[in-house]
Amino acid sequence: MIMILLSFAQPSRLPTFSTRRRRPDISTTHNLNSLWLLGPKRTPILGVQTHYPTPFDVPLPAKCLPFGLTPVAEDLLHDTGATAAVLGGAYALVFTFNNLTQRKLINQGLSRKLVHILSGLFFMVSWPIFSTSTVARYFAAVVPAVNCFRLLVHGLSLASDEGLVKSVTREGNPQELLRGPLYYVLVLIFCDLAFWRESPIGIISLAMMCGGDGVADIVGRRFGSVKIPYNPQKSWAGSIAMFVFGFLLSIGMLYYYSVLGYFQLDWVSTMQKVALVSFVATAVESLPTTEAVDDNISVPLASMAVAFLSFSN
Ligand SMILES: C/C(=C\COP(=O)(O)O)CCC[C@H](C)CCC[C@H](C)CCCC(C)C
Ligand SMILES: Nc1ccn([C@@H]2O[C@H](COP(=O)(O)OP(=O)(O)O)[C@@H](O)[C@H]2O)c(=O)n1
C-alpha cells in the first residue's frame, strides 16, 4: 500500500496540482540549525548534499490547482490523506501480526520482534508520501503519537485491546506496553520531528533501533549459544546480526532516500560512517540493560550521537 502511495511521492505526479511542487533545493554548506524544526527549509544539513532538482520537480501551471485550493490548503489536504493512510497501515500491521499469533502461525515473541522491525522501517518508507510543506513532519508524527496514546491507554488498563497486547508484549501483560513499545514510539516521534527526511541521522538511528536491535533478538535467541563474556544475556551471534543488519538497513534506507532525491551522498564515506554507527550501536546494545535504560532508548541515542559527529565533518 505504501509503495502505491509512494508512486505519488514524486511531486509532479501527485494528483494535486500545486504550482509549488518543488522539494527543498538544498546545497552543500553546513548548517546544524536546520536540523531542528524551524530551520529554514532550504538550508542543507550536516554537509550532506541533499536534494537536487530532478525531472520530477517540475512546477505545474497554476491553472491546475483543483477546486481553486490554495497551495497551503492543498498541502493540508495532501498531508491529511497521507496521515490517514499511514495510520491505517499501522493498525493493519498490528492487526495482521495479532491474527498470525492468534492462529498460532507465529509465536508471540516472534510477532513482537517482527512488529518491532517493520513498524519503524515502514514508517520511514512512508515519509516521502507526505507533502514538501514545512508542517508535513508534524502530520507524520501524528501516527506514532496516536500509537503512543494507544499504548498508554492500554498499558494503564484504561481500556483493553488483547490484539495489541498479544502482538507487542513478551508475556501478554498490558503493563509491558509502557516500556519497550512506548519508548519505541517516542523515539519515532523524536526522529520524525528533529531530523525528518532532511538528515541521515534520524534514518540511521531508526534503522539501528528497528532493524538492528530487532534482528539481534531473533538471531540471538535462535543461534546465540556463545554468550558475550561481559553479558551472558547476549550472544556474539545476536550482536553480529545487529551490526550487519543495522548497517545494511541503514544503507538501504539512505539509498531509498537518495533515489527519491533527498540526499546526494558520497557512498564510500557514508558506508564508513554507517559502519562506525552500527559498531557503536551494537556495542551499546550488547551491554547489560537495567530497568532504567531500555535498548529502545540507548541504541537510538548512541546512534544519533555517533551519526551526528560522523556526518558533521
Ligand atoms: C513491539 C514494539 C516495540 C517493543 O520493543 P522491544 O521491547 O521488543 O525492544 C513496536 C511497537 C509498535 C507500535 C505498537 C506501533 C507503531 C506503529 C508506527 C508508529 C507506525 C507504523 C506505520 C507503518 C506504515 C506500518
Ligand atoms: N546481542 C543480542 C541481543 C539479543 N539476544 C537474544 O535476544 C533476547 C532478547 O534480547 P533483548 O533483551 O535485547 O530484547 P529486547 O529488549 O530488544 O526486546 C536475549 O535474551 C538473547 O537471547 C542475543 O542473543 N544477543
Side-chain angles (χ1 to χ4, degrees):
M1 184 191 68
I2 293 282
M3 297 315 287
I4 294 170
L5 288 164
L6 267 184
S7 65
F8 295 109
Q10 302 305 344
S12 59
R13 294 187 189 162
L14 289 174
T16 50
F17 303 92
S18 162
T19 57
R20 301 179 311 108
R21 279 286 162 239
R22 295 187 70 83
R23 284 211 182 84
D25 179 12
I26 293 175
S27 60
T28 55
T29 54
H30 182 303
N31 181 337
L32 289 181
N33 299 330
S34 56
L35 263 185
W36 296 97
L37 315 189
L38 305 180
K41 176 173 163 183
R42 289 180 172 276
T43 45
I45 290 170
L46 300 180
V48 172
Q49 177 58 51
T50 53
H51 183 61
Y52 290 111
T54 68
F56 301 119
D57 290 342
V58 178
L60 294 168
K63 67 176 185 305
C64 293
L65 287 177
F67 323 116
L69 285 180
T70 63
V72 170
E74 187 228 325
D75 279 345
L76 289 176
L77 188 62
H78 174 172
D79 289 327
T80 302
T83 302
V86 180
L87 262 179
Y91 275 88
L93 182 79
V94 173
F95 175 81
T96 300
F97 279 99
N98 171 48
N99 205 281
L100 293 173
T101 309
Q102 301 274 22
R103 294 170 180 220
K104 304 208 183 307
L105 294 173
I106 58 173
N107 67 48
Q108 194 167 329
L110 180 58
S111 165
R112 192 181 96 252
K113 272 308 150 185
L114 290 174
V115 172
H116 177 122
I117 294 168
L118 297 176
S119 295
L121 294 180
F122 283 167
F123 185 46
M124 282 193 283
V125 166
S126 74
W127 286 355
I129 70 170
F130 289 85
S131 79
T132 55
S133 159
T134 50
V135 296
R137 70 178 77 195
Y138 299 100
F139 278 87
V142 165
V143 179
V146 165
N147 281 278
C148 180
F149 178 74
R150 199 176 165 206
L151 292 169
L152 284 169
V153 166
H154 297 107
L156 296 170
S157 299
L158 302 177
S160 70
D161 180 342
E162 197 179 331
L164 178 68
V165 173
K166 279 192 176 303
S167 50
V168 300
T169 63
R170 288 187 179 86
E171 281 92 34
N173 176 357
Q175 286 185 342
E176 287 180 60
L177 297 176
L178 302 176
R179 283 187 50 78
L182 183 63
Y183 301 147
Y184 180 99
V185 294
L186 289 174
V187 169
L188 289 181
I189 294 170
F190 179 79
C191 287
D192 172 309
L193 296 179
F195 304 110
W196 190 224
R197 310 178 287 220
E198 296 155 0
S199 162
I201 297 173
I203 291 167
I204 293 168
S205 302
L206 292 183
M208 294 297 166
M209 178 182 77
C210 305
D213 184 30
V215 173
D217 182 313
I218 295 174
V219 172
R221 287 179 192 274
R222 187 172 172 79
F223 305 107
S225 54
V226 181
K227 301 301 183 186
I228 291 174
Y230 54 83
N231 182 3
Q233 297 303 314
K234 302 286 174 79
S235 66
W236 288 111
S239 292
I240 290 168
M242 163 118 191
F243 174 80
V244 172
F245 281 87
F247 174 82
L248 293 177
L249 288 167
S250 296
I251 294 296
M253 290 307 300
L254 290 178
Y255 180 73
Y256 167 72
Y257 274 84
S258 67
V259 164
L260 289 179
Y262 288 94
F263 300 138
Q264 288 260 328
L265 296 165
D266 170 348
W267 287 106
V268 171
S269 68
T270 296
M271 287 185 179
Q272 292 165 346
K273 293 170 182 175
V274 171
L276 176 62
V277 174
S278 194
F279 178 79
V280 173
T282 300
V284 167
E285 191 277 339
S286 72
L287 298 173
T289 46
T290 63
E291 279 299 304
V293 182
D294 187 283
D295 285 352
N296 291 343
I297 295 173
S298 59
V299 166
L301 281 184
S303 303
M304 284 179 221
V306 178
F308 183 86
L309 295 172
S310 303
F311 283 90
S312 286
N313 51 29

